[in-house]
Structure formats: structure tokens, C-alpha cells
Amino acid sequence: MTRTLLDATGLKCPIPVLKARKAVKGMSGGDTLEILATDPGAAADFEAFCKTGGHGLLDQSHDDGVYRFLIRIGG
């Protein structure tokens, strides 16, 4: 199992989700993707990303303007 970090801070939606979608293509089922973002819309975007993509949202937090998402890749 691999854990990948995607730093999408400073990027506006939909760029963080598009970068996550690209990162997932090189990952295997069960791997985890940690995403850092600063766009407030990222929370809703990544919930939808997980639901439509069959991924699991393991953890979500917000601290000092940075949103953190930990996603288990489906498949």
C-alpha cells in the first residue's frame, strides 16, 4: 500500500479535484491519497469525488485555513 501526498494549496476549484483525479490514475486500490487544499469548496468537492469514484473518505480536517483529506482509493 502506498500513501501519496498531493499539495493543492493555493489552487481554486476545480483544480484540486482534477489533480486528485490524475493522481488516482497511477494508484492501486487500497492506496491512500492525502490532499491539502485551501479552497473552502474543497470539502464538498472531495466528498462528491469519493462518492462518484468509489473511494473512501477516511479523514477530513481543517486547521488554520488548510483543509486535509485522506482518501482510500477504491478498486
Side-chain angles (χ1 to χ4, degrees), residues 18-73:
L18 294 175
K19 287 189 170 282
R21 191 170 288 145
K22 183 176 181 181
V24 165
K25 289 183 181 183
M27 300 176 76
S28 300
D31 288 351
T32 55
L33 177 62
E34 181 177 3
I35 303 153
L36 304 177
T38 50
D39 188 328
D45 290 346
F46 281 109
E47 287 175 17
F49 171 77
C50 289
K51 185 180 271 189
T52 60
H55 309 300
L57 184 58
L58 301 177
D59 190 37
Q60 176 178 337
S61 62
H62 177 241
D63 186 37
D64 199 26
V66 177
Y67 298 86
R68 179 184 163 275
F69 306 93
L70 186 60
I71 296 171
R72 177 173 289 128
I73 305 307

